Amino acid sequence: MQHQQRSQGRLSPSSDTEDIVALLAPRLVHFAGVARTEHVTRAAQEMQVPQSTLSRSVVRLEQDLGVDLFARHGRTLSLTPAGRAFLASVERALAEIGRAADEVRADADPATGKVAFGFLHTMGAETVPGLLHAFRADHPRIRFSLVQNHGDAMLEGLRAGELDLCLTSPVPDAPDLVARRLDEQKLRLVVPADHRLAGRRRIRLAEAADETFVTLEPGYGLRRITDALCAEAGFRPRVAFEGEEAETLRGLVAAGLGVALLPPPAVPRPGVVELNVTSPRAAREIGVAWLAERPDTLPVTAFKKFLLSRRGRLLPD
């Protein structure tokens, strides 16, 4: 009888989706093959599967669902209404799985695969483009998914599997991560061009204790470094503005809204003067991090080796 409900199906209405998928997935390809030919023998020949295996797989699928998917007519079969509805969904699901498999194989291809790479906003204008240009001289077809963000967000991206590698500061120290120091970048005290300190070339940070600061928001590595350096100099900075990007802070400084501790700009910014800080030593470490215990694809391995080879010369002169 077509579309007969089977009372002995193995799946209950309360079964979890993951349990259903785990049980049914191995049988869906067999079902789709039989449904296309509506003949077990021909399907077995096309799929190079023993006919008995194919027959058992289809029967068990019907038992699992508790629904007849086929009406039997001797050696031939025809889809029931339930079978036709199920086939449409199965073919979409199998096609999606096929596309996903193609994508992950393509991303892992040693010549044309993809690397998900995160880096700080302050490294986007000059450092990262230079690195990618140098790397692609030997790996011209490897693709990149690039993400600019602050350090904490990138570490979350590593843990979530959204990033393969990231350049960040400070260099993280966490049991689930591997991190390597690559370089060091000096920080400068940036003041407005008409500021009382603008005629100086060097400054002790304590001399800026009474200044208003503009900084990155909490959670940014450079903000933590700024707070730590000011504390070492004996004061807590008075923060008037918090932003998300270093060049925005330079604009605020140029407008006379405060001073800031920042890495050197890719291009000199008019309206500001950048002073070398002699005490305490103002610098930040730049490192590369990745998730421990996660196997790398060949493109990620190649780019990781390249970054590690740039120790001490990561940053532009």
Side-chain angles (χ1 to χ4, degrees):
M1 181 182 297
Q2 294 188 11
H3 198 38
Q4 176 183 349
Q5 291 290 332
R6 296 177 181 266
S7 61
Q8 297 180 354
R10 300 178 187 176
L11 295 175
S12 69
S14 62
S15 297
D16 292 338
T17 299
E18 290 185 1
D19 294 337
I20 295 172
V21 172
L23 184 62
L24 300 186
R27 298 170 190 159
L28 298 182
V29 174
H30 291 167
F31 162 71
V34 173
R36 283 192 293 269
T37 63
E38 295 192 326
H39 197 286
V40 175
T41 302
R42 287 200 295 271
Q45 291 171 346
E46 290 181 5
M47 301 174 71
Q48 297 183 335
V49 175
Q51 182 175 334
S52 59
T53 299
L54 206 55
S55 296
R56 284 196 301 271
S57 182
V58 170
V59 169
R60 287 173 180 169
L61 178 61
E62 291 178 311
Q63 292 173 344
D64 293 335
L65 293 173
V67 176
D68 282 321
L69 301 174
F70 294 100
R72 272 76 177 173
H73 312 283
R75 295 186 177 182
T76 63
L77 307 173
S78 63
L79 285 165
T80 65
R84 283 193 294 273
F86 190 56
L87 177 63
S89 296
V90 167
E91 288 182 329
R92 286 195 297 270
L94 294 177
E96 184 62 29
I97 291 170
R99 283 192 292 270
D102 289 342
E103 288 179 4
V104 296
R105 283 197 296 263
D107 288 348
D109 185 278
T112 63
K114 185 170 71 174
V115 179
F117 181 44
F119 51 92
L120 302 169
H121 289 282
T122 51
M123 309 192 77
E126 192 172 5
T127 300
V128 168
L131 289 172
L132 298 182
H133 176 77
F135 176 73
R136 283 170 65 89
D138 293 325
H139 304 84
R141 298 170 63 197
I142 286 182
R143 298 168 291 124
F144 283 83
S145 172
L146 301 176
V147 176
Q148 290 178 268
N149 216 323
H150 62 87
D152 288 351
M154 286 193 295
L155 300 186
E156 290 175 8
L158 289 177
R159 293 180 172 113
E162 298 165 356
L163 293 176
D164 297 310
L165 303 165
C166 71
L167 287 181
T168 189
S169 177
V171 180
D173 181 13
D176 61 333
L177 299 175
V178 179
R180 298 287 183 267
R181 181 186 183 278
L182 296 179
D183 214 335
E184 183 181 87
Q185 187 174 48
K186 290 183 178 180
L187 302 178
R188 298 170 177 169
L189 184 70
V190 185
V191 302
D194 59 355
H195 192 273
R196 63 181 180 86
L197 298 172
R200 303 271 296 275
R201 296 185 61 184
R202 298 177 179 83
I203 188 174
R204 291 179 296 106
L205 190 56
E207 296 178 72
D210 294 331
E211 299 291 334
T212 297
F213 278 72
V214 296
T215 72
L216 296 179
E217 293 178 350
Y220 284 69
L222 187 56
R223 171 61 180 272
R224 291 197 294 272
I225 293 170
T226 295
D227 289 346
L229 288 172
C230 290
E232 189 176 348
F235 69 96
R236 182 176 181 177
R238 290 187 296 112
V239 177
F241 296 92
E242 296 175 333
E244 297 181 344
E245 207 274 325
E247 287 312 301
T248 300
L249 298 186
R250 273 193 174 81
L252 295 174
V253 173
L257 298 175
V259 302
L261 274 172
L262 295 173
V267 178
R269 174 73 180 251
V272 301
V273 174
E274 310 219 356
L275 309 177
N276 292 318
V277 179
T278 59
S279 176
R281 189 171 181 276
R284 65 172 180 172
E285 290 186 335
I286 306 293
V288 59
W290 60 90
L291 195 64
E293 308 298 331
R294 178 185 293 164
D296 292 332
T297 63
L298 290 176
V300 172
T301 296
F303 190 57
K304 183 186 295 183
K305 289 181 178 177
F306 168 79
L307 290 176
L308 294 175
S309 74
R310 307 284 291 194
R311 280 192 181 102
R313 53 192 183 93
L314 178 78
L315 303 171
D317 293 336

